[in-house]
Amino acid sequence: SLVFCDECKAGGPRGISVFTFATGQRRCLATPDAATSRLLQPTLSPDGNTVAYFDSSTLYRTNIFTVPLAGGTPHQITHEVTNQWGLLWSKDRRYIVFNSTRDGRSGNLWWKVPVQGGAIEPETDKKPEGFMSRDGRLLGSVQNGGPGSVIWRIQLSGPGGKVTSKAKIIDSDSWNEGPQLSPDGKHILYTNQLSGADNMWRSDADGSHPLQLTYFGDDLTGTPRWSLDGKGIVFDRRHGAHAQIYVMD
């Protein structure tokens, strides 16, 4: 199945939907309580049973909720009056890690909260936005700045451990976004604007042998994800008034 943000009802606020490939059916997993609220960034737990997401009523009021993938009542995890982003699950599934301005913009940005809710604590092991390998030993991070951006490969001492090495693997004068490591750990999928528009690219895990996969024009394209067997790619593309989800080999 595929979990993504979409209108649960035509013209309604954006919620969380699940599309099942075997049946071709889509169901609504969670809807916002008010028309002014939006549900954002659905992120599946490592065991595949729970979806965490943000409920954003304004730019600076965002909270974390969870809901079972099978369906059920959403559970509110945080009760903040701050902006939150960068949602991640800890490897042991005990915590949800996120960015927040709760300590001020010049203070700590990374925090963690137990999945059942409770006290929010600073996250000392910084986990950059990007990807984490399945064994928890490898991170990918995007650093934006200047005319372009850099994708970093960060090696950890163990699952969720300390940083042991950091290497710049992709550096270009255009924007790189959404890096995703393939299930076998051999390739990286990402969005790049080298052609003048957002398109999907693939490279070896060390950044070598970049290959352009799509050739769209001035469309908004991104959020690439691998299928579990590594043979397919799913991404979103907005061509005209409506966004669509695409699957490609």
Side-chain angles (χ1 to χ4, degrees), residues 80-96:
E80 297 279 279
V81 190
T82 58
N83 190 20
Q84 298 176 2
W85 68 99
L87 191 64
L88 289 169
W89 288 82
S90 66
K91 181 68 177 177
D92 59 11
R93 305 190 302 274
R94 295 175 55 199
Y95 294 93
I96 295 175

Side-chain angles (χ1 to χ4, degrees), residues 103-186:
D103 201 23
R105 290 190 175 274
S106 61
N108 180 63
L109 290 180
W110 284 99
W111 303 84
K112 65 181 180 180
V113 61
V115 295
Q116 69 273 15
I120 298 175
E121 302 174 357
E123 172 56 85
T124 54
D125 285 334
K126 307 297 190 298
K127 295 175 174 61
E129 294 180 65
F131 65 77
M132 177 180 286
S133 62
R134 292 188 177 184
D135 62 6
R137 296 176 181 269
L138 185 67
L139 290 174
S141 172
V142 177
Q143 179 184 0
N144 295 317
S149 58
V150 175
I151 296 179
W152 293 85
R153 176 186 175 100
I154 303 166
Q155 195 72 39
L156 305 180
S157 60
K162 302 295 183 181
V163 174
T164 59
S165 66
K166 184 177 180 180
K168 184 187 299 185
I169 58 174
I170 297 174
D171 187 1
S172 65
D173 292 335
S174 59
W175 289 98
N176 299 300
E177 296 180 326
Q180 295 291 312
L181 188 68
S182 61
D184 61 8
K186 295 181 179 180

Side-chain angles (χ1 to χ4, degrees), residues 189 199-202 211-215 226 233 248-249:
L189 181 68
N199 278 291
M200 301 299 109
W201 288 70
R202 189 197 72 201
L211 174 67
Q212 187 171 347
L213 301 179
T214 63
Y215 292 84
W226 294 89
I233 294 168
M248 67 180 293
D249 293 335

Side-chain angles (χ1 to χ4, degrees), residues 8-249:
C8 290
K9 294 182 179 179
R14 186 162 61 174
I16 307 296
S17 291
V18 180
F19 179 84
T20 303
F21 287 98
T23 64
Q25 298 297 312
R26 188 192 68 151
R27 60 185 172 90
C28 188
L29 191 62
T31 56
D33 291 335
T36 56
S37 182
R38 297 181 303 158
L39 306 189
L40 308 168
Q41 199 179 331
T43 306
L44 200 61
S45 62
D47 61 8
N49 293 328
T50 307
V51 177
Y53 61 90
F54 290 124
D55 186 316
S56 178
S57 56
T58 69
L59 179 62
Y60 296 105
R61 188 182 180 92
T62 306
N63 280 293
I64 300 172
F65 285 71
T66 60
V67 64
L69 181 64
T73 302
H75 175 57
Q76 186 168 354
I77 304 299
T78 64
H79 297 77
E80 297 279 279
V81 190
T82 58
N83 190 20
Q84 298 176 2
W85 68 99
L87 191 64
L88 289 169
W89 288 82
S90 66
K91 181 68 177 177
D92 59 11
R93 305 190 302 274
R94 295 175 55 199
Y95 294 93
I96 295 175
V97 182
F98 61 98
N99 280 151
S100 174
T101 55
R102 68 194 319 266
D103 201 23
R105 290 190 175 274
S106 61
N108 180 63
L109 290 180
W110 284 99
W111 303 84
K112 65 181 180 180
V113 61
V115 295
Q116 69 273 15
I120 298 175
E121 302 174 357
E123 172 56 85
T124 54
D125 285 334
K126 307 297 190 298
K127 295 175 174 61
E129 294 180 65
F131 65 77
M132 177 180 286
S133 62
R134 292 188 177 184
D135 62 6
R137 296 176 181 269
L138 185 67
L139 290 174
S141 172
V142 177
Q143 179 184 0
N144 295 317
S149 58
V150 175
I151 296 179
W152 293 85
R153 176 186 175 100
I154 303 166
Q155 195 72 39
L156 305 180
S157 60
K162 302 295 183 181
V163 174
T164 59
S165 66
K166 184 177 180 180
K168 184 187 299 185
I169 58 174
I170 297 174
D171 187 1
S172 65
D173 292 335
S174 59
W175 289 98
N176 299 300
E177 296 180 326
Q180 295 291 312
L181 188 68
S182 61
D184 61 8
K186 295 181 179 180
H187 297 94
I188 293 175
L189 181 68
Y190 59 98
T191 305
N192 187 277
Q193 296 179 342
L194 278 173
S195 61
D198 293 331
N199 278 291
M200 301 299 109
W201 288 70
R202 189 197 72 201
S203 73
D204 292 347
D206 61 0
S208 62
H209 304 107
L211 174 67
Q212 187 171 347
L213 301 179
T214 63
Y215 292 84
F216 298 126
D218 294 331
D219 302 328
L220 294 173
T221 307
T223 327
R225 295 292 186 271
W226 294 89
S227 62
L228 290 179
D229 60 8
K231 296 180 179 180
I233 294 168
V234 62
F235 60 94
D236 60 69
R237 177 193 179 204
R238 180 177 291 277
H239 179 67
H242 299 285
Q244 304 287 342
I245 291 177
Y246 287 74
V247 177
M248 67 180 293
D249 293 335

